[in-house]
Amino acid sequence: MARVVLENLRKTYPNGFKAIHGVDVEIGEGEFLVLVGPSGCGKSTLLRMIAGLESVTEGVITIGERIVNDLEPSERDIAMVFQNYALYPHMTVYKNMAYGLKIMGLPKAEIDERVKKAAAILELTDEQLTRKPRQLSGGQRQRVAMGRAIVREPSVFLFDEPLSNLDAKLRVQMRLEIKGLQANLGITSVYVTHDQVEAMTLGHRLMVLNAGVVEQLGTPIELYERPASLFVAGFIGSPSMNFAEAKIDQEGRTVKISGQAALPLGNGGMPDHAGRDVILGVRPEHLELAKDTTDAVPLTAAIIEHLGADTLVHGHFGESKSNLTVRLDGTQYVNPGDILPIRVSPDHLHIFDPKSEKRL
């Protein structure tokens, strides 16, 4: 395993489009870093730059102790797992996994040992090793793709949305297998996904990208509990965070949504931002039914989603008809049109600047 360092990394295409705007990050030995963001945000481009499949316009990439900007992909001691498996259809599973080692010129006995060791780790049977990729399920083909990466014994694993072609149940299973595999092998890994649930469950740290800019870098819990911007707050968490225009009082002790009761601000309030217009954010799971309606927000239920363990209530509140989503216990039964008294916990309020969209 090796440390990966990206210093002021930028990518500009010949047509002038700037895909990556100065990324700085140090990925520690054995760390699992997940690049997450919407389609077109630059995460796959960044991964391909690390792999050597995209050129670097500006900045430095270091893997281990070597600057690798000018090295070919085969010289970087990395192994990549692609979204579409990228298996040779005319070769058996065994030959697919062994092919890269054969190109490297390793002895036949060592190739056989590495392939069988990887197959055992991935629970690929001897009979499956003799099959062609078309004779395997999607999950089995993804295991073969990972096996081909494992046999190389690289310093760094690169994963480019490897689970996006699988069905929902298989994605969950493979997600757990990848997490366990990376923990057992201890190989530095960089993983690209647009699925924030996948990112939260896999990564030691997450890097949230938006239009080629790093919005926030931190642990999953840090991003969930203290999102640095409106973008991160809305992207991390499912269902998404609720937002509403609000105003902090002149003493900085409460925040008020138009037409609603003032909500107390925890931790001594925000006196430095007294009187400011703000964006108030609160997650659906941090809203609850109020026993005392004095300080409650009246929510008019519109759409109900019964998910078993949870019930999601989508509705609106106040004269502004602002939308609100609440996550309730699955035992709660709600009908469209019901008016629910909703309590907001002051310890779970998120306040953002409406101009910069940064956290206050």
Side-chain angles (χ1 to χ4, degrees), residues 203-222:
H204 297 150
R205 285 192 299 166
L206 312 185
M207 178 187 285
V208 181
L209 288 167
N210 179 23
V213 176
V214 178
E215 289 275 343
Q216 191 170 359
L217 173 66
T219 67
I221 293 300
E222 288 171 348

mmCIF file of all heavy atoms in Angstrom, residues 203-222:
data_model
loop_
_atom_site.group_PDB
_atom_site.id
_atom_site.type_symbol
_atom_site.label_atom_id
_atom_site.label_comp_id
_atom_site.label_asym_id
_atom_site.label_seq_id
_atom_site.Cartn_x
_atom_site.Cartn_y
_atom_site.Cartn_z
ATOM 1 N N GLY A 203 -16.674 4.784 2.821
ATOM 2 C CA GLY A 203 -15.458 5.579 2.959
ATOM 3 C C GLY A 203 -15.006 5.855 4.379
ATOM 4 O O GLY A 203 -15.820 6.090 5.265
ATOM 5 N N HIS A 204 -13.683 5.828 4.575
ATOM 6 C CA HIS A 204 -13.109 6.403 5.799
ATOM 7 C C HIS A 204 -13.303 7.915 5.773
ATOM 8 O O HIS A 204 -13.613 8.537 6.777
ATOM 9 C CB HIS A 204 -11.614 6.090 5.889
ATOM 10 C CG HIS A 204 -11.313 4.626 5.996
ATOM 11 N ND1 HIS A 204 -10.173 4.039 5.509
ATOM 12 C CD2 HIS A 204 -12.022 3.613 6.542
ATOM 13 C CE1 HIS A 204 -10.181 2.743 5.752
ATOM 14 N NE2 HIS A 204 -11.303 2.467 6.373
ATOM 15 N N ARG A 205 -13.071 8.501 4.584
ATOM 16 C CA ARG A 205 -13.341 9.919 4.361
ATOM 17 C C ARG A 205 -14.057 10.075 3.020
ATOM 18 O O ARG A 205 -13.891 9.254 2.121
ATOM 19 C CB ARG A 205 -12.051 10.750 4.346
ATOM 20 C CG ARG A 205 -11.423 10.980 5.712
ATOM 21 C CD ARG A 205 -10.335 12.050 5.641
ATOM 22 N NE ARG A 205 -9.256 11.659 4.746
ATOM 23 C CZ ARG A 205 -8.321 12.513 4.295
ATOM 24 N NH1 ARG A 205 -8.369 13.787 4.637
ATOM 25 N NH2 ARG A 205 -7.361 12.081 3.490
ATOM 26 N N LEU A 206 -14.829 11.150 2.905
ATOM 27 C CA LEU A 206 -15.520 11.476 1.668
ATOM 28 C C LEU A 206 -15.014 12.812 1.143
ATOM 29 O O LEU A 206 -14.759 13.740 1.913
ATOM 30 C CB LEU A 206 -17.032 11.586 1.875
ATOM 31 C CG LEU A 206 -17.768 10.485 2.636
ATOM 32 C CD1 LEU A 206 -19.265 10.747 2.597
ATOM 33 C CD2 LEU A 206 -17.452 9.123 2.067
ATOM 34 N N MET A 207 -14.869 12.901 -0.172
ATOM 35 C CA MET A 207 -14.597 14.172 -0.829
ATOM 36 C C MET A 207 -15.796 14.479 -1.708
ATOM 37 O O MET A 207 -16.065 13.768 -2.675
ATOM 38 C CB MET A 207 -13.321 14.111 -1.677
ATOM 39 C CG MET A 207 -13.027 15.417 -2.419
ATOM 40 S SD MET A 207 -11.647 15.277 -3.576
ATOM 41 C CE MET A 207 -10.281 15.276 -2.414
ATOM 42 N N VAL A 208 -16.538 15.527 -1.358
ATOM 43 C CA VAL A 208 -17.723 15.914 -2.116
ATOM 44 C C VAL A 208 -17.304 16.925 -3.179
ATOM 45 O O VAL A 208 -16.769 17.994 -2.866
ATOM 46 C CB VAL A 208 -18.807 16.517 -1.210
ATOM 47 C CG1 VAL A 208 -20.034 16.895 -2.030
ATOM 48 C CG2 VAL A 208 -19.190 15.540 -0.109
ATOM 49 N N LEU A 209 -17.546 16.574 -4.447
ATOM 50 C CA LEU A 209 -17.188 17.431 -5.571
ATOM 51 C C LEU A 209 -18.431 18.061 -6.177
ATOM 52 O O LEU A 209 -19.479 17.420 -6.276
ATOM 53 C CB LEU A 209 -16.453 16.622 -6.640
ATOM 54 C CG LEU A 209 -15.020 16.179 -6.305
ATOM 55 C CD1 LEU A 209 -14.545 15.140 -7.296
ATOM 56 C CD2 LEU A 209 -14.082 17.374 -6.316
ATOM 57 N N ASN A 210 -18.288 19.315 -6.607
ATOM 58 C CA ASN A 210 -19.366 20.033 -7.267
ATOM 59 C C ASN A 210 -18.755 20.893 -8.363
ATOM 60 O O ASN A 210 -17.999 21.815 -8.070
ATOM 61 C CB ASN A 210 -20.122 20.902 -6.263
ATOM 62 C CG ASN A 210 -21.244 21.684 -6.897
ATOM 63 O OD1 ASN A 210 -21.766 21.314 -7.949
ATOM 64 N ND2 ASN A 210 -21.628 22.789 -6.265
ATOM 65 N N ALA A 211 -19.011 20.547 -9.618
ATOM 66 C CA ALA A 211 -18.473 21.282 -10.769
ATOM 67 C C ALA A 211 -16.961 21.425 -10.684
ATOM 68 O O ALA A 211 -16.406 22.494 -10.961
ATOM 69 C CB ALA A 211 -19.141 22.647 -10.873
ATOM 70 N N GLY A 212 -16.282 20.329 -10.298
ATOM 71 C CA GLY A 212 -14.824 20.317 -10.263
ATOM 72 C C GLY A 212 -14.198 20.947 -9.048
ATOM 73 O O GLY A 212 -12.969 21.027 -8.939
ATOM 74 N N VAL A 213 -15.020 21.406 -8.111
ATOM 75 C CA VAL A 213 -14.536 22.054 -6.885
ATOM 76 C C VAL A 213 -14.831 21.154 -5.695
ATOM 77 O O VAL A 213 -15.912 20.556 -5.602
ATOM 78 C CB VAL A 213 -15.216 23.426 -6.690
ATOM 79 C CG1 VAL A 213 -14.796 24.056 -5.358
ATOM 80 C CG2 VAL A 213 -14.885 24.350 -7.848
ATOM 81 N N VAL A 214 -13.866 21.062 -4.768
ATOM 82 C CA VAL A 214 -14.072 20.282 -3.550
ATOM 83 C C VAL A 214 -14.921 21.106 -2.581
ATOM 84 O O VAL A 214 -14.475 22.126 -2.058
ATOM 85 C CB VAL A 214 -12.729 19.901 -2.886
ATOM 86 C CG1 VAL A 214 -12.991 19.124 -1.597
ATOM 87 C CG2 VAL A 214 -11.882 19.069 -3.837
ATOM 88 N N GLU A 215 -16.151 20.666 -2.363
ATOM 89 C CA GLU A 215 -17.040 21.357 -1.438
ATOM 90 C C GLU A 215 -16.672 21.051 0.013
ATOM 91 O O GLU A 215 -16.731 21.923 0.875
ATOM 92 C CB GLU A 215 -18.483 20.945 -1.688
ATOM 93 C CG GLU A 215 -19.076 21.470 -2.975
ATOM 94 C CD GLU A 215 -19.630 22.878 -2.819
ATOM 95 O OE1 GLU A 215 -19.837 23.309 -1.676
ATOM 96 O OE2 GLU A 215 -19.863 23.523 -3.856
ATOM 97 N N GLN A 216 -16.315 19.804 0.296
ATOM 98 C CA GLN A 216 -15.952 19.418 1.658
ATOM 99 C C GLN A 216 -15.225 18.082 1.641
ATOM 100 O O GLN A 216 -15.514 17.209 0.819
ATOM 101 C CB GLN A 216 -17.193 19.323 2.555
ATOM 102 C CG GLN A 216 -16.876 19.187 4.046
ATOM 103 C CD GLN A 216 -18.116 19.329 4.924
ATOM 104 O OE1 GLN A 216 -19.214 19.550 4.424
ATOM 105 N NE2 GLN A 216 -17.950 19.202 6.233
ATOM 106 N N LEU A 217 -14.277 17.936 2.546
ATOM 107 C CA LEU A 217 -13.526 16.696 2.732
ATOM 108 C C LEU A 217 -13.565 16.351 4.211
ATOM 109 O O LEU A 217 -13.210 17.169 5.061
ATOM 110 C CB LEU A 217 -12.075 16.878 2.268
ATOM 111 C CG LEU A 217 -11.107 15.727 2.532
ATOM 112 C CD1 LEU A 217 -11.484 14.494 1.724
ATOM 113 C CD2 LEU A 217 -9.670 16.144 2.201
ATOM 114 N N GLY A 218 -14.023 15.140 4.530
ATOM 115 C CA GLY A 218 -14.092 14.750 5.938
ATOM 116 C C GLY A 218 -14.689 13.369 6.090
ATOM 117 O O GLY A 218 -15.008 12.692 5.106
ATOM 118 N N THR A 219 -14.848 12.946 7.336
ATOM 119 C CA THR A 219 -15.452 11.647 7.602
ATOM 120 C C THR A 219 -16.944 11.710 7.280
ATOM 121 O O THR A 219 -17.538 12.807 7.237
ATOM 122 C CB THR A 219 -15.277 11.245 9.067
ATOM 123 O OG1 THR A 219 -16.041 12.144 9.898
ATOM 124 C CG2 THR A 219 -13.818 11.279 9.486
ATOM 125 N N PRO A 220 -17.591 10.564 7.065
ATOM 126 C CA PRO A 220 -19.030 10.581 6.810
ATOM 127 C C PRO A 220 -19.830 11.298 7.898
ATOM 128 O O PRO A 220 -20.752 12.064 7.598
ATOM 129 C CB PRO A 220 -19.378 9.089 6.737
ATOM 130 C CG PRO A 220 -18.129 8.424 6.268
ATOM 131 C CD PRO A 220 -17.022 9.206 6.907
ATOM 132 N N ILE A 221 -19.462 11.083 9.162
ATOM 133 C CA ILE A 221 -20.186 11.721 10.269
ATOM 134 C C ILE A 221 -19.979 13.226 10.256
ATOM 135 O O ILE A 221 -20.917 14.002 10.514
ATOM 136 C CB ILE A 221 -19.739 11.125 11.624
ATOM 137 C CG1 ILE A 221 -20.174 9.666 11.728
ATOM 138 C CG2 ILE A 221 -20.321 11.921 12.781
ATOM 139 C CD1 ILE A 221 -21.676 9.451 11.624
ATOM 140 N N GLU A 222 -18.756 13.693 9.948
ATOM 141 C CA GLU A 222 -18.501 15.133 9.882
ATOM 142 C C GLU A 222 -19.357 15.795 8.806
ATOM 143 O O GLU A 222 -19.930 16.867 9.028
ATOM 144 C CB GLU A 222 -17.015 15.386 9.590
ATOM 145 C CG GLU A 222 -16.094 15.095 10.755
ATOM 146 C CD GLU A 222 -14.624 15.146 10.383
ATOM 147 O OE1 GLU A 222 -14.304 15.180 9.177
ATOM 148 O OE2 GLU A 222 -13.790 15.133 11.314
#
